[in-house]
Amino acid sequence: MSQIGNAIEKRDNGPASIIEQYKPELATVAASHVKVDTFARLAVGVLRQNPRLMEAAQTNPGSLMNALMTAARLGLEPGTEQFYLRPIKRKGRPEVQGIVGYQGIVELIYNAGAAVSVVVEVVRQNDTFLWTPGALDDQHPPRWPGAMKQPFHKVDWFGERGPLVGAYAYAAMQGGAISKVVVLNSSHIARAKAKSDGADTEYSPWRTDEEAMWMKTAARRLGKWVPTSAEKRSAVIERVNAIDLAAAPLSEVDPDEDDGPIEGELVD
Protein backbone atom coordinates (compact mmCIF):
# COMPACT_ATOMS: atom_id res chain seq x y z
CA MET A 1 0.00 0.00 0.00
CA SER A 2 1.24 3.53 -0.74
CA GLN A 3 2.26 5.97 2.00
CA ILE A 4 -0.97 7.90 1.57
CA GLY A 5 -2.90 4.65 1.84
CA ASN A 6 -1.12 3.73 5.11
CA ALA A 7 -1.80 7.18 6.54
CA ILE A 8 -5.48 7.04 5.63
CA GLU A 9 -5.91 3.68 7.36
CA LYS A 10 -5.01 5.45 10.62
CA ARG A 11 -7.63 8.19 10.15
CA ASP A 12 -11.39 8.33 9.96
CA ASN A 13 -12.21 6.15 6.95
CA GLY A 14 -15.39 7.97 5.89
CA PRO A 15 -14.72 9.10 2.29
CA ALA A 16 -16.08 12.63 2.74
CA SER A 17 -14.04 13.04 5.91
CA ILE A 18 -10.93 11.68 4.19
CA ILE A 19 -11.25 14.13 1.32
CA GLU A 20 -11.69 17.00 3.77
CA GLN A 21 -8.68 15.91 5.83
CA TYR A 22 -6.45 15.63 2.79
CA LYS A 23 -7.37 18.95 1.16
CA PRO A 24 -3.94 20.41 2.09
CA GLU A 25 -2.23 17.55 0.26
CA LEU A 26 -4.51 18.03 -2.73
CA ALA A 27 -3.68 21.73 -2.76
CA THR A 28 0.03 20.92 -2.78
CA VAL A 29 -0.14 18.80 -5.94
CA ALA A 30 -3.06 20.50 -7.72
CA ALA A 31 -2.61 22.37 -10.98
CA SER A 32 -2.61 26.14 -10.52
CA HIS A 33 -6.15 26.65 -11.86
CA VAL A 34 -7.76 24.07 -9.55
CA LYS A 35 -9.91 25.43 -6.70
CA VAL A 36 -9.45 22.72 -4.11
CA ASP A 37 -12.67 23.44 -2.18
CA THR A 38 -14.71 23.07 -5.38
CA PHE A 39 -12.70 20.02 -6.40
CA ALA A 40 -13.39 18.35 -3.04
CA ARG A 41 -17.13 19.10 -3.20
CA LEU A 42 -17.32 17.56 -6.67
CA ALA A 43 -15.58 14.42 -5.47
CA VAL A 44 -17.85 14.02 -2.45
CA GLY A 45 -20.93 14.55 -4.62
CA VAL A 46 -19.84 11.83 -7.04
CA LEU A 47 -19.37 9.38 -4.17
CA ARG A 48 -22.81 10.11 -2.75
CA GLN A 49 -24.47 9.53 -6.13
CA ASN A 50 -22.91 6.09 -6.69
CA PRO A 51 -23.32 3.47 -3.93
CA ARG A 52 -20.80 1.11 -5.56
CA LEU A 53 -18.23 3.88 -5.75
CA MET A 54 -18.90 4.82 -2.13
CA GLU A 55 -18.42 1.19 -1.09
CA ALA A 56 -15.11 1.01 -2.97
CA ALA A 57 -13.95 4.26 -1.37
CA GLN A 58 -14.87 3.03 2.11
CA THR A 59 -13.18 -0.31 1.52
CA ASN A 60 -10.02 1.18 0.06
CA PRO A 61 -9.76 4.90 0.88
CA GLY A 62 -6.14 4.96 -0.22
CA SER A 63 -7.18 4.18 -3.79
CA LEU A 64 -9.71 7.03 -3.66
CA MET A 65 -7.08 9.56 -2.64
CA ASN A 66 -4.55 8.26 -5.14
CA ALA A 67 -7.13 8.78 -7.91
CA LEU A 68 -8.02 12.26 -6.65
CA MET A 69 -4.36 13.23 -6.36
CA THR A 70 -3.90 12.27 -10.00
CA ALA A 71 -6.94 14.29 -11.09
CA ALA A 72 -5.81 17.32 -9.08
CA ARG A 73 -2.26 17.14 -10.46
CA LEU A 74 -3.59 17.01 -14.03
CA GLY A 75 -6.08 19.79 -13.32
CA LEU A 76 -9.12 17.67 -14.25
CA GLU A 77 -12.56 17.59 -12.62
CA PRO A 78 -13.27 14.27 -10.85
CA GLY A 79 -16.48 12.44 -11.65
CA THR A 80 -16.90 14.06 -15.06
CA GLU A 81 -15.99 13.13 -18.64
CA GLN A 82 -12.65 14.75 -17.92
CA PHE A 83 -11.77 12.24 -15.20
CA TYR A 84 -13.99 9.28 -14.35
CA LEU A 85 -14.08 7.73 -10.88
CA ARG A 86 -15.04 4.07 -11.21
CA PRO A 87 -15.38 1.17 -8.77
CA ILE A 88 -13.30 -1.86 -9.76
CA LYS A 89 -12.21 -5.06 -8.08
CA ARG A 90 -8.54 -5.90 -7.77
CA LYS A 91 -7.83 -9.35 -6.37
CA GLY A 92 -11.43 -9.44 -5.19
CA ARG A 93 -11.20 -6.21 -3.21
CA PRO A 94 -13.18 -3.11 -4.30
CA GLU A 95 -11.17 0.02 -4.99
CA VAL A 96 -11.51 3.32 -6.81
CA GLN A 97 -9.97 3.69 -10.25
CA GLY A 98 -9.30 7.06 -11.84
CA ILE A 99 -9.69 7.18 -15.62
CA VAL A 100 -8.81 10.15 -17.81
CA GLY A 101 -11.70 10.65 -20.26
CA TYR A 102 -11.59 12.11 -23.76
CA GLN A 103 -12.52 15.56 -22.48
CA GLY A 104 -9.64 15.27 -20.03
CA ILE A 105 -7.19 14.56 -22.84
CA VAL A 106 -8.55 17.54 -24.77
CA GLU A 107 -8.21 19.71 -21.67
CA LEU A 108 -4.58 18.63 -21.24
CA ILE A 109 -3.87 19.55 -24.86
CA TYR A 110 -5.40 23.01 -24.37
CA ASN A 111 -3.54 23.51 -21.08
CA ALA A 112 -0.21 22.78 -22.79
CA GLY A 113 -0.80 25.92 -24.85
CA ALA A 114 0.38 24.75 -28.29
CA ALA A 115 -3.09 24.10 -29.76
CA VAL A 116 -5.73 26.76 -30.35
CA SER A 117 -8.51 24.28 -31.08
CA VAL A 118 -9.04 20.54 -30.82
CA VAL A 119 -11.60 18.50 -32.74
CA VAL A 120 -12.58 15.01 -31.58
CA GLU A 121 -15.68 13.44 -33.13
CA VAL A 122 -17.30 10.13 -33.95
CA VAL A 123 -18.59 9.26 -37.41
CA ARG A 124 -21.87 7.38 -37.84
CA GLN A 125 -23.05 5.36 -40.79
CA ASN A 126 -25.34 8.02 -42.29
CA ASP A 127 -22.90 10.91 -41.87
CA THR A 128 -20.93 12.32 -44.79
CA PHE A 129 -17.22 12.02 -44.04
CA LEU A 130 -14.46 12.93 -46.52
CA TRP A 131 -10.74 12.88 -45.90
CA THR A 132 -8.06 13.05 -48.58
CA PRO A 133 -4.76 14.10 -46.97
CA GLY A 134 -2.29 16.10 -48.98
CA ALA A 135 -2.55 19.80 -48.09
CA LEU A 136 -0.55 21.28 -45.22
CA ASP A 137 -2.18 24.69 -44.85
CA ASP A 138 -3.42 27.69 -46.82
CA GLN A 139 0.14 28.76 -47.68
CA HIS A 140 1.14 25.44 -49.28
CA PRO A 141 -0.42 24.15 -52.51
CA PRO A 142 -2.09 20.71 -52.32
CA ARG A 143 -0.09 17.74 -53.54
CA TRP A 144 -2.92 16.53 -55.76
CA PRO A 145 -6.45 17.59 -56.75
CA GLY A 146 -8.90 17.19 -53.92
CA ALA A 147 -6.22 17.11 -51.23
CA MET A 148 -7.44 18.40 -47.88
CA LYS A 149 -5.76 19.79 -44.78
CA GLN A 150 -8.53 18.54 -42.47
CA PRO A 151 -11.56 16.26 -42.80
CA PHE A 152 -15.00 17.31 -44.03
CA HIS A 153 -17.75 15.94 -41.79
CA LYS A 154 -21.42 16.71 -42.45
CA VAL A 155 -24.05 15.56 -39.96
CA ASP A 156 -27.84 15.61 -39.98
CA TRP A 157 -28.22 16.41 -36.29
CA PHE A 158 -31.98 15.83 -36.33
CA GLY A 159 -32.04 12.66 -38.44
CA GLU A 160 -31.16 9.04 -37.81
CA ARG A 161 -27.37 8.94 -37.97
CA GLY A 162 -27.03 5.18 -37.66
CA PRO A 163 -24.43 3.11 -35.79
CA LEU A 164 -20.89 4.20 -34.98
CA VAL A 165 -18.41 3.48 -37.77
CA GLY A 166 -15.33 5.54 -36.83
CA ALA A 167 -13.73 8.40 -34.96
CA TYR A 168 -11.22 11.13 -35.75
CA ALA A 169 -9.21 13.84 -34.04
CA TYR A 170 -6.92 16.71 -34.93
CA ALA A 171 -5.73 20.03 -33.56
CA ALA A 172 -5.14 23.48 -35.01
CA MET A 173 -1.77 24.59 -33.71
CA GLN A 174 -0.36 28.01 -32.86
CA GLY A 175 0.74 29.55 -36.13
CA GLY A 176 -1.98 27.94 -38.22
CA ALA A 177 -0.62 24.44 -38.86
CA ILE A 178 -2.93 21.44 -38.56
CA SER A 179 -1.66 18.49 -36.56
CA LYS A 180 -1.61 14.96 -37.82
CA VAL A 181 -5.19 13.88 -38.44
CA VAL A 182 -6.00 10.64 -36.62
CA VAL A 183 -8.76 8.58 -38.26
CA LEU A 184 -9.84 5.24 -36.79
CA ASN A 185 -12.40 2.80 -38.16
CA SER A 186 -14.48 0.31 -36.19
CA SER A 187 -11.79 -2.38 -36.42
CA HIS A 188 -9.21 -0.06 -34.87
CA ILE A 189 -11.64 0.77 -32.05
CA ALA A 190 -12.40 -2.92 -31.49
CA ARG A 191 -8.70 -3.68 -31.06
CA ALA A 192 -8.38 -0.86 -28.53
CA LYS A 193 -11.42 -2.14 -26.65
CA ALA A 194 -9.97 -5.67 -26.57
CA LYS A 195 -7.04 -4.31 -24.53
CA SER A 196 -9.38 -3.01 -21.84
CA ASP A 197 -9.92 -5.28 -18.84
CA GLY A 198 -13.59 -5.67 -18.04
CA ALA A 199 -14.78 -3.87 -21.17
CA ASP A 200 -17.85 -6.10 -21.37
CA THR A 201 -18.89 -5.80 -17.72
CA GLU A 202 -22.16 -4.10 -16.87
CA TYR A 203 -20.68 -0.83 -15.61
CA SER A 204 -17.82 -0.50 -18.07
CA PRO A 205 -17.75 2.88 -19.88
CA TRP A 206 -17.44 0.85 -23.08
CA ARG A 207 -21.06 -0.15 -22.39
CA THR A 208 -22.41 2.88 -20.52
CA ASP A 209 -20.74 5.58 -22.64
CA GLU A 210 -19.51 3.89 -25.81
CA GLU A 211 -19.38 7.04 -27.92
CA ALA A 212 -17.13 8.75 -25.37
CA MET A 213 -14.77 5.77 -25.40
CA TRP A 214 -14.51 5.91 -29.21
CA MET A 215 -13.62 9.59 -28.90
CA LYS A 216 -11.15 8.85 -26.12
CA THR A 217 -9.36 6.33 -28.32
CA ALA A 218 -8.96 8.94 -31.06
CA ALA A 219 -7.97 11.68 -28.61
CA ARG A 220 -5.41 9.43 -26.99
CA ARG A 221 -3.79 8.73 -30.36
CA LEU A 222 -3.82 12.47 -31.09
CA GLY A 223 -1.79 12.92 -27.91
CA LYS A 224 1.15 11.34 -29.73
CA TRP A 225 1.21 14.31 -32.14
CA VAL A 226 0.39 17.29 -29.93
CA PRO A 227 1.67 18.24 -26.47
CA THR A 228 -0.41 17.35 -23.43
CA SER A 229 1.86 19.13 -20.94
CA ALA A 230 3.73 22.40 -20.93
CA GLU A 231 7.05 20.54 -20.71
CA LYS A 232 6.39 18.86 -24.06
CA ARG A 233 5.19 22.00 -25.82
CA SER A 234 8.47 23.23 -27.37
CA ALA A 235 9.56 19.78 -28.52
CA VAL A 236 6.24 18.96 -30.15
CA ILE A 237 5.94 22.35 -31.89
CA GLU A 238 9.37 21.73 -33.41
CA ARG A 239 8.25 18.26 -34.47
CA VAL A 240 5.05 19.56 -36.06
CA ASN A 241 6.97 22.24 -37.93
CA ALA A 242 9.63 19.78 -39.14
CA ILE A 243 7.41 16.92 -40.31
CA ASP A 244 5.47 17.04 -43.56
CA LEU A 245 2.16 16.12 -41.97
CA ALA A 246 0.39 15.66 -45.29
CA ALA A 247 2.96 13.45 -46.96
CA ALA A 248 2.32 10.26 -45.01
CA PRO A 249 -0.78 8.20 -45.77
CA LEU A 250 -3.31 7.55 -43.03
CA SER A 251 -2.07 4.00 -42.60
CA GLU A 252 1.09 5.41 -41.00
CA VAL A 253 -0.95 6.43 -37.98
CA ASP A 254 -0.57 2.96 -36.57
CA PRO A 255 -3.91 2.09 -34.96
CA ASP A 256 -2.47 -1.07 -33.45
CA GLU A 257 0.47 0.59 -31.73
CA ASP A 258 0.39 -0.53 -28.12
CA ASP A 259 -0.13 2.56 -25.99
CA GLY A 260 -1.65 0.63 -23.14
CA PRO A 261 -5.21 -0.36 -22.39
CA ILE A 262 -8.10 2.02 -22.69
CA GLU A 263 -9.09 1.81 -19.03
CA GLY A 264 -12.44 0.43 -18.05
CA GLU A 265 -12.31 -2.50 -15.63
CA LEU A 266 -15.35 -2.07 -13.40
CA VAL A 267 -17.20 -3.93 -10.68
CA ASP A 268 -19.38 -6.73 -12.02
Short mmCIF file of all heavy atoms in Angstrom, two decimals, residues 77-111:
data_model
loop_
_atom_site.label_atom_id
_atom_site.label_comp_id
_atom_site.label_asym_id
_atom_site.label_seq_id
_atom_site.Cartn_x
_atom_site.Cartn_y
_atom_site.Cartn_z
N GLU A 77 -11.45 17.69 -13.57
CA GLU A 77 -12.56 17.59 -12.62
C GLU A 77 -12.94 16.13 -12.39
O GLU A 77 -13.28 15.42 -13.33
CB GLU A 77 -13.78 18.35 -13.13
CG GLU A 77 -13.56 19.86 -13.22
CD GLU A 77 -14.82 20.59 -13.64
OE1 GLU A 77 -15.83 19.91 -13.92
OE2 GLU A 77 -14.81 21.82 -13.66
N PRO A 78 -12.93 15.67 -11.13
CA PRO A 78 -13.27 14.27 -10.85
C PRO A 78 -14.77 14.01 -11.02
O PRO A 78 -15.60 14.89 -10.76
CB PRO A 78 -12.86 14.11 -9.38
CG PRO A 78 -13.02 15.48 -8.80
CD PRO A 78 -12.63 16.43 -9.90
N GLY A 79 -15.09 12.82 -11.50
CA GLY A 79 -16.48 12.44 -11.65
C GLY A 79 -17.15 13.05 -12.85
O GLY A 79 -18.38 13.12 -12.91
N THR A 80 -16.36 13.50 -13.82
CA THR A 80 -16.90 14.06 -15.06
C THR A 80 -16.26 13.32 -16.23
O THR A 80 -15.46 12.40 -16.04
CB THR A 80 -16.58 15.56 -15.19
OG1 THR A 80 -15.16 15.73 -15.40
CG2 THR A 80 -16.97 16.32 -13.93
N GLU A 81 -16.61 13.75 -17.46
CA GLU A 81 -15.99 13.13 -18.64
C GLU A 81 -14.54 13.56 -18.82
O GLU A 81 -13.86 13.09 -19.72
CB GLU A 81 -16.81 13.43 -19.90
CG GLU A 81 -18.13 12.68 -19.93
CD GLU A 81 -18.87 12.84 -21.24
OE1 GLU A 81 -18.58 13.81 -21.98
OE2 GLU A 81 -19.74 12.00 -21.53
N GLN A 82 -14.08 14.47 -17.95
CA GLN A 82 -12.65 14.75 -17.92
C GLN A 82 -11.90 13.65 -17.17
O GLN A 82 -10.83 13.21 -17.61
CB GLN A 82 -12.38 16.10 -17.22
CG GLN A 82 -12.79 17.31 -18.02
CD GLN A 82 -12.32 18.60 -17.37
OE1 GLN A 82 -11.61 18.61 -16.36
NE2 GLN A 82 -12.72 19.72 -17.95
N PHE A 83 -12.46 13.22 -16.05
CA PHE A 83 -11.77 12.24 -15.20
C PHE A 83 -12.82 11.41 -14.47
O PHE A 83 -13.46 11.87 -13.53
CB PHE A 83 -10.86 12.94 -14.20
CG PHE A 83 -9.89 12.03 -13.50
CD1 PHE A 83 -8.63 11.80 -14.03
CD2 PHE A 83 -10.22 11.41 -12.30
CE1 PHE A 83 -7.72 10.97 -13.39
CE2 PHE A 83 -9.33 10.58 -11.65
CZ PHE A 83 -8.07 10.35 -12.20
N TYR A 84 -13.02 10.17 -14.95
CA TYR A 84 -13.99 9.28 -14.35
C TYR A 84 -13.47 8.71 -13.03
O TYR A 84 -12.27 8.44 -12.87
CB TYR A 84 -14.30 8.10 -15.27
CG TYR A 84 -14.96 8.46 -16.58
CD1 TYR A 84 -14.20 8.49 -17.76
CD2 TYR A 84 -16.31 8.75 -16.66
CE1 TYR A 84 -14.80 8.80 -18.97
CE2 TYR A 84 -16.91 9.06 -17.87
CZ TYR A 84 -16.15 9.09 -19.02
OH TYR A 84 -16.73 9.40 -20.22
N LEU A 85 -14.36 8.51 -12.07
CA LEU A 85 -14.08 7.73 -10.88
C LEU A 85 -14.94 6.49 -10.95
O LEU A 85 -16.17 6.58 -10.97
CB LEU A 85 -14.39 8.53 -9.61
CG LEU A 85 -13.51 9.76 -9.35
CD1 LEU A 85 -14.01 10.52 -8.12
CD2 LEU A 85 -12.05 9.38 -9.17
N ARG A 86 -14.31 5.31 -11.01
CA ARG A 86 -15.04 4.07 -11.21
C ARG A 86 -14.69 3.04 -10.14
O ARG A 86 -13.54 2.95 -9.73
CB ARG A 86 -14.71 3.46 -12.59
CG ARG A 86 -15.05 4.34 -13.77
CD ARG A 86 -16.53 4.65 -13.84
NE ARG A 86 -16.91 5.22 -15.12
CZ ARG A 86 -18.04 5.85 -15.34
NH1 ARG A 86 -18.91 6.01 -14.36
NH2 ARG A 86 -18.33 6.34 -16.52
N PRO A 87 -15.68 2.28 -9.68
CA PRO A 87 -15.38 1.17 -8.77
C PRO A 87 -14.91 -0.05 -9.55
O PRO A 87 -15.54 -0.45 -10.53
CB PRO A 87 -16.73 0.91 -8.09
CG PRO A 87 -17.75 1.30 -9.13
CD PRO A 87 -17.13 2.42 -9.93
N ILE A 88 -13.79 -0.62 -9.14
CA ILE A 88 -13.30 -1.86 -9.76
C ILE A 88 -12.99 -2.85 -8.64
O ILE A 88 -13.05 -2.52 -7.46
CB ILE A 88 -12.04 -1.62 -10.62
CG1 ILE A 88 -10.84 -1.25 -9.74
CG2 ILE A 88 -12.29 -0.55 -11.67
CD1 ILE A 88 -9.52 -1.25 -10.48
N LYS A 89 -12.69 -4.06 -9.03
CA LYS A 89 -12.21 -5.06 -8.08
C LYS A 89 -10.81 -5.49 -8.49
O LYS A 89 -10.57 -5.84 -9.65
CB LYS A 89 -13.14 -6.27 -8.05
CG LYS A 89 -14.43 -6.03 -7.29
CD LYS A 89 -15.26 -7.29 -7.19
CE LYS A 89 -16.54 -7.05 -6.39
NZ LYS A 89 -17.39 -8.27 -6.34
N ARG A 90 -9.90 -5.44 -7.54
CA ARG A 90 -8.54 -5.90 -7.77
C ARG A 90 -8.24 -6.98 -6.75
O ARG A 90 -8.27 -6.73 -5.55
CB ARG A 90 -7.54 -4.75 -7.66
CG ARG A 90 -6.20 -5.04 -8.31
CD ARG A 90 -5.27 -3.84 -8.20
NE ARG A 90 -5.83 -2.64 -8.79
CZ ARG A 90 -5.78 -2.36 -10.09
NH1 ARG A 90 -5.22 -3.22 -10.92
NH2 ARG A 90 -6.29 -1.23 -10.54
N LYS A 91 -8.02 -8.19 -7.25
CA LYS A 91 -7.83 -9.35 -6.37
C LYS A 91 -9.01 -9.50 -5.42
O LYS A 91 -8.86 -9.85 -4.25
CB LYS A 91 -6.51 -9.24 -5.59
CG LYS A 91 -5.28 -9.23 -6.49
CD LYS A 91 -4.00 -9.15 -5.68
CE LYS A 91 -2.78 -9.16 -6.60
NZ LYS A 91 -1.50 -9.07 -5.85
N GLY A 92 -10.21 -9.25 -5.95
CA GLY A 92 -11.43 -9.44 -5.19
C GLY A 92 -11.79 -8.32 -4.24
O GLY A 92 -12.84 -8.37 -3.60
N ARG A 93 -10.95 -7.30 -4.15
CA ARG A 93 -11.20 -6.21 -3.21
C ARG A 93 -11.61 -4.96 -3.97
O ARG A 93 -10.91 -4.52 -4.88
CB ARG A 93 -9.94 -5.92 -2.38
CG ARG A 93 -10.17 -4.88 -1.28
CD ARG A 93 -8.86 -4.49 -0.62
NE ARG A 93 -9.09 -3.61 0.52
CZ ARG A 93 -8.17 -2.82 1.06
NH1 ARG A 93 -6.94 -2.81 0.56
NH2 ARG A 93 -8.45 -2.05 2.10
N PRO A 94 -12.76 -4.34 -3.61
CA PRO A 94 -13.18 -3.11 -4.30
C PRO A 94 -12.18 -1.98 -4.09
O PRO A 94 -11.60 -1.84 -3.01
CB PRO A 94 -14.52 -2.78 -3.65
CG PRO A 94 -14.99 -4.05 -3.04
CD PRO A 94 -13.76 -4.77 -2.61
N GLU A 95 -11.97 -1.19 -5.11
CA GLU A 95 -11.17 0.02 -4.99
C GLU A 95 -11.63 1.02 -6.03
O GLU A 95 -12.42 0.70 -6.92
CB GLU A 95 -9.68 -0.27 -5.13
CG GLU A 95 -9.25 -0.77 -6.49
CD GLU A 95 -7.73 -0.97 -6.54
OE1 GLU A 95 -7.19 -1.76 -5.77
OE2 GLU A 95 -7.10 -0.31 -7.39
N VAL A 96 -11.14 2.24 -5.90
CA VAL A 96 -11.51 3.32 -6.81
C VAL A 96 -10.43 3.45 -7.88
O VAL A 96 -9.24 3.50 -7.58
CB VAL A 96 -11.65 4.65 -6.06
CG1 VAL A 96 -11.97 5.79 -7.03
CG2 VAL A 96 -12.75 4.55 -5.00
N GLN A 97 -10.88 3.50 -9.12
CA GLN A 97 -9.97 3.69 -10.25
C GLN A 97 -10.24 5.05 -10.88
O GLN A 97 -11.38 5.41 -11.14
CB GLN A 97 -10.18 2.58 -11.29
CG GLN A 97 -9.28 2.71 -12.52
CD GLN A 97 -9.65 1.72 -13.61
OE1 GLN A 97 -10.82 1.57 -13.93
NE2 GLN A 97 -8.67 1.03 -14.14
N GLY A 98 -9.19 5.80 -11.12
CA GLY A 98 -9.30 7.06 -11.84
C GLY A 98 -8.99 6.86 -13.31
O GLY A 98 -8.01 6.21 -13.65
N ILE A 99 -9.85 7.36 -14.17
CA ILE A 99 -9.69 7.18 -15.62
C ILE A 99 -9.79 8.54 -16.30
O ILE A 99 -10.80 9.24 -16.17
CB ILE A 99 -10.78 6.25 -16.20
CG1 ILE A 99 -10.80 4.90 -15.48
CG2 ILE A 99 -10.59 6.06 -17.70
CD1 ILE A 99 -11.96 4.00 -15.91
N VAL A 100 -8.76 8.92 -17.02
CA VAL A 100 -8.81 10.15 -17.81
C VAL A 100 -9.74 9.93 -19.00
O VAL A 100 -9.55 9.00 -19.78
CB VAL A 100 -7.42 10.57 -18.30
CG1 VAL A 100 -7.51 11.83 -19.16
CG2 VAL A 100 -6.48 10.80 -17.12
N GLY A 101 -10.77 10.76 -19.14
CA GLY A 101 -11.70 10.65 -20.26
C GLY A 101 -11.24 11.47 -21.45
O GLY A 101 -10.24 12.18 -21.40
N TYR A 102 -12.01 11.39 -22.55
CA TYR A 102 -11.59 12.11 -23.76
C TYR A 102 -11.58 13.61 -23.52
O TYR A 102 -10.70 14.33 -24.03
CB TYR A 102 -12.47 11.73 -24.95
CG TYR A 102 -13.74 12.52 -25.11
CD1 TYR A 102 -13.78 13.67 -25.89
CD2 TYR A 102 -14.91 12.11 -24.48
CE1 TYR A 102 -14.95 14.40 -26.02
CE2 TYR A 102 -16.08 12.84 -24.61
CZ TYR A 102 -16.10 13.98 -25.39
OH TYR A 102 -17.26 14.70 -25.51
N GLN A 103 -12.53 14.13 -22.76
CA GLN A 103 -12.52 15.56 -22.48
C GLN A 103 -11.31 15.95 -21.63
O GLN A 103 -10.80 17.06 -21.74
CB GLN A 103 -13.81 15.97 -21.78
CG GLN A 103 -15.03 15.94 -22.69
CD GLN A 103 -16.28 16.49 -22.02
OE1 GLN A 103 -16.25 16.90 -20.87
NE2 GLN A 103 -17.38 16.50 -22.74
N GLY A 104 -10.85 15.02 -20.80
CA GLY A 104 -9.64 15.27 -20.03
C GLY A 104 -8.42 15.38 -20.92
O GLY A 104 -7.56 16.25 -20.71
N ILE A 105 -8.31 14.49 -21.91
CA ILE A 105 -7.19 14.56 -22.84
C ILE A 105 -7.22 15.87 -23.61
O ILE A 105 -6.19 16.54 -23.79
CB ILE A 105 -7.21 13.35 -23.80
CG1 ILE A 105 -7.06 12.05 -23.02
CG2 ILE A 105 -6.11 13.47 -24.85
CD1 ILE A 105 -7.25 10.80 -23.86
N VAL A 106 -8.41 16.26 -24.06
CA VAL A 106 -8.55 17.54 -24.77
C VAL A 106 -8.15 18.70 -23.87
O VAL A 106 -7.44 19.63 -24.29
CB VAL A 106 -9.98 17.71 -25.29
CG1 VAL A 106 -10.20 19.12 -25.84
CG2 VAL A 106 -10.28 16.68 -26.37
N GLU A 107 -8.56 18.66 -22.62
CA GLU A 107 -8.21 19.71 -21.67
C GLU A 107 -6.70 19.80 -21.47
O GLU A 107 -6.13 20.90 -21.41
CB GLU A 107 -8.90 19.45 -20.33
CG GLU A 107 -8.70 20.53 -19.28
CD GLU A 107 -9.43 21.83 -19.60
OE1 GLU A 107 -10.29 21.84 -20.50
OE2 GLU A 107 -9.13 22.85 -18.95
N LEU A 108 -6.04 18.65 -21.39
CA LEU A 108 -4.58 18.63 -21.24
C LEU A 108 -3.90 19.24 -22.46
O LEU A 108 -2.88 19.93 -22.34
CB LEU A 108 -4.09 17.20 -21.00
CG LEU A 108 -4.53 16.56 -19.68
CD1 LEU A 108 -4.07 15.10 -19.63
CD2 LEU A 108 -3.97 17.32 -18.49
N ILE A 109 -4.44 18.97 -23.64
CA ILE A 109 -3.87 19.55 -24.86
C ILE A 109 -4.01 21.07 -24.82
O ILE A 109 -3.05 21.81 -25.11
CB ILE A 109 -4.55 18.96 -26.10
CG1 ILE A 109 -4.18 17.47 -26.26
CG2 ILE A 109 -4.16 19.75 -27.35
CD1 ILE A 109 -4.95 16.76 -27.36
N TYR A 110 -5.20 21.56 -24.46
CA TYR A 110 -5.40 23.01 -24.37
C TYR A 110 -4.47 23.62 -23.32
O TYR A 110 -3.87 24.68 -23.54
CB TYR A 110 -6.84 23.32 -24.01
CG TYR A 110 -7.79 23.35 -25.18
CD1 TYR A 110 -8.94 22.56 -25.20
CD2 TYR A 110 -7.56 24.19 -26.27
CE1 TYR A 110 -9.82 22.59 -26.27
CE2 TYR A 110 -8.44 24.22 -27.35
CZ TYR A 110 -9.56 23.42 -27.34
OH TYR A 110 -10.43 23.46 -28.40
N ASN A 111 -4.35 22.96 -22.16
CA ASN A 111 -3.54 23.51 -21.08
C ASN A 111 -2.07 23.60 -21.45
O ASN A 111 -1.34 24.44 -20.92
CB ASN A 111 -3.71 22.67 -19.82
CG ASN A 111 -5.08 22.83 -19.18
OD1 ASN A 111 -5.81 23.75 -19.51
ND2 ASN A 111 -5.43 21.93 -18.28
#
